[in-house]
Amino acid sequence: MEPPEMNTSSIRPVGEPVSDGVIGLIGPNGGVLQSEDGRLEVEFPAGAVTEETEIGIEPLKNTALSGIGFSYRLTPHGKTFQKKVTLRFHYKTDERRIAGNEALEIAYQNDKGIWTCIGNSKNDKINKTINVQTSHFSDWALVTSMELSPVVKTVGPGESISLKALQYVFPASKDDFLVPLMLPEAGTGEPLGLQKEYIKKWTLDGPGKLTGTGNTAVYTAPSTPPPNKTATITLELNVQGKQVLLISTIYIITEGIEISIDGGAWKTYPGIATSVPETDIYSLANLRISAGEPQITFMWPKKKGVKPDGIYPWSMLGETENHVIFEYTEPDFQKMYVSVFNDGLQTRDSGGFFSVDEKEEAGQKFFTGMFGIDQAGLIDNATGDQIKVSSIMGLFKVRYSEVKNR
């Protein structure tokens, strides 16, 4: 079986920095340096460097087509070490946006701009880490070799969406090239549909209907909003006799912002999304119609002429133009949940993500999507102290209204 050929669309731009990152000194005895968000560790064995060396981890906008979260520039860029160092990505906080743990890989961007997997990664599914060893520094990212797309999605009652099983990584081998990815220099490219010989069956758990054929399926939500608003779609694959599962989660939502804190009751608030001319920010917030309601606000970057669609990691600590922020101020304004937390040593951006799509219904634009915040810090507004760390999840479908200058 011949693997698909990569094309020139595999060449991707270099990621723009999100923040200054972290810098540490590593000597001949070795050591470990961690990214400021805690997602990446770089472990140096003794003898990797012959003298004390300044090492940096700088988060970047991830330009890999199947990238998850930020990518990271490891410096000195292009540095080669005497012994291989270990790059370890933590993916626990990203699981809701991953189609399947079996499909995870680590890639670097080569000098041609192609994101390339080096293979031989070790995936610890219990501790939710994946690592590779390398002797050189470059820009590195967590990627998925395949997925059930979309991985997460919100739909309205009675709405239908199409799903497709896609492959992003293409080893240059005549052997089975899906998983595990054991051969080096497997480049990433424009996704192709998975071949039918891998596909075993489609399964739906939850409300609605699913019709699956080959590598595609159509899901239709029930016409009346169900008590259970979550539908989980699973595609079972058979790869080299091994069962591999790809998962997509569909959330059924009506208009408003729905939110649950620490697994508590879901509450719904009316909301609106705006983009103010001459700014580079989108804002989405609830309409606070009584003193007994909280104030909920999201903000994320706006690019001229580009839809807001995307999946964004939380980023409040980096450069202002890259901020992706959540704030939930309690009705009495005494306390506020934010998308950062203190882990006892330092303040970090929360794990999780913010997913948004723009759609149009009857001539009206809506922003719809979901969000998860794995470690939301609850802050005392009077003292600035962190009271506790919570988990927050939510859905939204709100009208979009552009504010005009006067």
Side-chain angles (χ1 to χ4, degrees):
M1 177 174 55
E2 294 287 345
E5 294 182 0
M6 288 192 305
N7 52 48
T8 55
S9 64
S10 300
I11 298 173
R12 302 292 296 163
V14 174
E16 299 175 2
V18 174
S19 72
D20 293 334
V22 297
I23 295 175
L25 292 175
I26 300 294
N29 291 331
V32 177
L33 185 64
Q34 188 178 65
S35 63
E36 59 189 343
D37 60 10
R39 286 188 173 92
L40 173 62
E41 290 176 344
V42 185
E43 182 178 343
F44 296 80
V49 295
T50 57
E51 59 184 7
E52 196 169 63
T53 304
E54 188 176 87
I55 304 297
I57 305 177
E58 181 183 31
L60 310 173
K61 292 182 180 178
N62 196 340
T63 65
L65 287 167
S66 61
I68 299 166
F70 297 128
S71 59
Y72 299 88
R73 177 163 297 152
L74 305 183
T75 57
H77 206 64
K79 173 74 174 176
T80 300
F81 301 100
Q82 301 297 313
K83 293 182 178 180
K84 288 186 176 183
V85 301
T86 299
L87 309 184
R88 182 176 296 105
F89 280 82
H90 295 254
Y91 60 82
K92 182 177 181 179
T93 59
D94 295 309
E95 280 197 288
R96 279 177 294 197
R97 56 183 297 192
I98 297 171
N101 294 350
E102 294 281 357
L104 290 176
E105 288 294 340
I106 297 174
Y108 74 95
Q109 193 169 29
N110 67 20
D111 57 4
K112 296 180 181 179
I114 298 173
W115 284 95
T116 306
C117 297
I118 63 174
N120 291 309
S121 60
K122 293 180 174 57
N123 193 338
D124 182 343
K125 301 180 188 67
I126 296 175
N127 294 308
K128 311 299 181 185
T129 65
I130 182 170
N131 70 72
V132 294
Q133 291 190 320
T134 180
S135 59
H136 75 278
F137 271 1
S138 183
D139 294 353
W140 291 82
L142 183 66
V143 302
T144 184
S145 61
M146 55 184 171
E147 71 178 7
L148 182 53
S149 179
V151 177
V152 292
K153 189 73 173 178
T154 53
V155 299
E159 188 176 347
S160 295
I161 63 165
S162 297
L163 300 103
K164 188 168 186 178
L166 300 174
Q167 177 184 353
Y168 290 89
V169 177
F170 310 111
S173 167
K174 294 182 180 181
D175 299 322
D176 200 318
F177 52 85
L178 271 187
V179 287
L181 177 60
M182 299 301 292
L183 298 175
E185 300 306 305
T188 68
E190 294 289 341
L192 297 176
L194 287 179
Q195 285 110 321
K196 63 181 180 180
E197 56 259 39
Y198 295 112
I199 295 168
K200 191 171 181 181
K201 68 176 179 179
W202 292 85
T203 304
L204 170 64
D205 181 15
K209 294 194 304 181
L210 179 71
T211 303
T213 305
N215 60 22
T216 62
V218 174
Y219 169 78
T220 302
S223 56
T224 302
N228 175 15
K229 61 185 68 185
T230 305
T232 302
I233 298 167
T234 302
L235 176 60
E236 183 180 345
L237 307 178
N238 186 332
V239 183
Q240 296 177 337
K242 182 179 181 179
Q243 181 193 59
V244 176
L245 303 178
L246 299 181
I247 296 172
S248 175
T249 306
I250 310 299
Y251 298 91
I252 303 165
I253 185 172
T254 52
E255 194 168 341
I257 301 172
E258 301 182 36
I259 190 166
S260 170
I261 300 176
D262 288 329
W266 286 85
K267 297 183 179 180
T268 304
Y269 306 95
I272 192 168
T274 63
S275 62
V276 182
E278 301 178 9
T279 73
D280 296 318
I281 296 174
Y282 283 111
S283 176
L284 188 154
N286 67 315
L287 299 172
R288 191 168 185 263
I289 58 179
S290 76
E293 294 185 350
Q295 180 63 66
I296 305 169
T297 304
F298 302 85
M299 290 185 286
W300 70 102
K302 172 187 175 184
K303 289 188 177 181
K304 187 176 181 180
V306 179
K307 285 187 174 183
D309 300 14
I311 300 178
Y312 303 84
W314 299 109
S315 176
M316 186 181 285
L317 301 178
E319 301 295 332
T320 302
E321 62 269 23
N322 297 314
H323 280 178
V324 181
I325 293 173
F326 169 85
E327 294 178 347
Y328 177 109
T329 305
E330 294 193 341
D332 60 6
F333 292 93
Q334 299 298 308
K335 292 175 286 187
M336 177 172 64
Y337 292 97
V338 292
S339 53
V340 294
F341 73 107
N342 189 291
D343 64 3
L345 297 175
Q346 60 182 310
T347 298
R348 299 183 183 275
D349 283 308
S350 303
F353 66 94
F354 174 73
S355 172
V356 60
D357 290 296
E358 178 187 304
K359 61 174 59 178
E360 187 168 323
E361 296 179 6
Q364 171 66 55
K365 284 186 179 180
F366 288 86
F367 284 179
T368 181
M370 66 164 294
F371 58 95
I373 310 169
D374 294 305
Q375 309 100 346
L378 178 61
I379 307 301
D380 184 316
N381 287 336
T383 65
D385 295 334
Q386 178 175 287
I387 300 169
K388 66 174 183 175
V389 176
S390 293
S391 173
I392 300 177
M393 184 175 179
L395 313 169
F396 60 87
K397 179 182 179 182
V398 299
R399 295 172 186 266
Y400 169 75
S401 177
E402 187 167 307
V403 178
K404 303 294 184 180
N405 281 337
R406 296 182 178 180

